[in-house]
Amino acid sequence: MSNRKSELETLKADLEARLVRYQAHQRRETGALDKDFEEQASQTQNDEVVDSLEAETRAELVQIAHALDRINNGLGDECEKCGEEIDPRRLQVLPYTTVCVNCAAD
């Protein structure tokens, strides 16, 4: 269990660092939009991609926080829907999951 907790904490730190980079991009810390119209269009399109990546990162951080809370409360390997043990192979692939494969399919 502590190995999974450590893995989640490492993943959380990585995602938080990624979020900082996305926010720096959105604040144009590397410079303002280019004066060329085509370049501006490209930069604007990149902004939309970064917005999407930022939203996905925030959602994943919420899932990680929830999984860490469950681990800290001794429920980390238990499906929060049915109460059965989550298959260790599933936890290896999705360390922040809180539901078993059967409940995830429902």
Side-chain angles (χ1 to χ4, degrees):
M1 176 92 71
S2 63
N3 193 24
R4 181 168 160 236
K5 183 176 179 179
S6 173
E7 183 180 349
L8 285 170
E9 288 170 346
T10 299
L11 181 57
K12 179 181 174 194
D14 290 345
L15 290 172
E16 288 171 340
R18 189 180 305 169
L19 198 55
V20 168
R21 289 192 305 272
Y22 294 153
Q23 291 168 340
H25 173 83
Q26 297 299 62
R27 289 191 303 269
R28 303 266 185 253
E29 290 181 5
T30 58
L33 282 175
D34 196 289
K35 293 187 188 307
D36 178 75
F37 180 75
E38 287 182 27
E39 186 61 28
Q40 280 183 353
S42 176
Q43 288 174 348
T44 301
Q45 187 175 26
N46 287 345
D47 290 348
E48 293 170 6
V49 170
V50 171
D51 283 344
S52 177
L53 291 170
E54 184 177 341
E56 289 174 18
T57 299
R58 288 184 186 282
E60 196 168 350
L61 283 168
V62 167
Q63 291 174 321
I64 290 169
H66 182 63
L68 285 169
D69 284 344
R70 289 185 53 82
I71 289 170
N72 290 333
N73 290 318
L75 302 170
D77 293 340
E78 183 181 301
C79 176
E80 68 181 343
K81 288 188 178 180
C82 72
E84 295 295 318
E85 183 178 347
I86 301 171
D87 187 321
R89 293 171 296 183
R90 178 168 170 76
L91 292 173
Q92 189 173 17
V93 174
L94 288 171
Y96 50 81
T97 191
T98 57
V99 294
C100 68
V101 70
N102 291 332
C103 290
D106 289 340

